[in-house]
Amino acid sequence: MTGMDLCDAIAAVVSELWPERIIYRDFCPVDHQRPSSYLYVSDSAMEPANLCMVEWTVEARLELFCATDEYDLSSTEALRRDQEQVLLAFAAPSLKVGDRWVTLAAQGDGMDMGSAFVNFSATWFDERPGYTDPEETAPLMERYEVIKEISAGIPGNQNER
């Protein structure tokens, strides 16, 4: 699982809230549609945890844009409502990402002129990329032979003098 997989799962939840709204992912154009949102990974790190595991830490940011009026102004009330709807949508203790469940924290991060922000953070452990278990790659023992030598001096030994 990667940070992009996490972002895809976040985008799926947001798109369930507002199926008619565009979620910009690659970049947000200057003349973007409103209402819409912009979701991107703001920070991602993979740290070794042990020989075969790594710890992922990913932070993502969702910028929400509400509709504007005839003077091209956004309603701060509408932005707050949208921000709260996103926070409530992520109130569950974990998020399904593929076939896994990840603990995800969502936090409202204030507003700017015409937009509001929600920050997401998650940490999980995963198998180290490229790691193979030595026991899985070791050749299997298909045939073997046991050689038993009998030492002199052992009672009952036929080779005893």
Side-chain angles (χ1 to χ4, degrees):
M1 192 177 99
T2 65
M4 292 307 294
D5 296 329
L6 179 70
C7 258
D8 291 343
I10 293 169
V13 172
V14 173
S15 68
E16 285 178 24
L17 280 175
W18 303 295
E20 71 285 353
R21 293 186 187 183
I22 292 176
I23 301 173
Y24 296 98
R25 296 286 303 274
D26 191 23
F27 68 95
C28 186
V30 174
D31 59 345
H32 59 273
Q33 277 188 297
R34 288 177 175 268
S36 62
S37 58
Y38 176 40
L39 176 64
Y40 57 96
V41 172
S42 57
D43 193 24
S44 181
M46 181 181 64
E47 298 283 331
N50 60 33
L51 177 66
C52 61
M53 302 289 287
V54 292
E55 181 180 19
W56 280 94
T57 303
V58 174
E59 293 179 12
R61 188 166 175 92
L62 178 68
E63 186 171 3
L64 300 165
F65 305 104
C66 69
T68 57
D69 63 15
E70 62 273 5
Y71 300 107
D72 203 28
L73 297 175
S74 299
S75 165
T76 57
E77 294 274 326
L79 286 169
R80 282 192 189 100
R81 269 192 231 99
D82 286 356
Q83 191 179 49
E84 283 182 353
Q85 282 186 302
V86 171
L87 293 174
L88 290 170
F90 290 95
S94 57
L95 175 68
K96 186 167 176 47
V97 180
D99 62 348
R100 301 175 68 177
W101 290 88
V102 176
T103 302
L104 180 72
Q107 177 183 6
D109 191 27
M111 295 169 37
D112 204 358
M113 189 62 107
S115 62
F117 303 94
V118 178
N119 290 334
F120 299 96
S121 60
T123 301
W124 68 93
F125 289 91
D126 212 340
E127 189 173 274
R128 185 185 294 267
Y131 175 78
T132 53
D133 187 348
E135 290 187 18
E136 290 178 11
T137 58
L140 295 176
M141 190 165 58
E142 294 177 2
R143 294 180 8 181
Y144 60 94
E145 185 178 323
V146 176
I147 299 173
K148 181 178 178 184
E149 287 187 25
I150 300 175
S151 300
I154 299 176
N157 186 348
Q158 296 175 358
N159 296 331
E160 197 174 339
R161 293 185 190 155

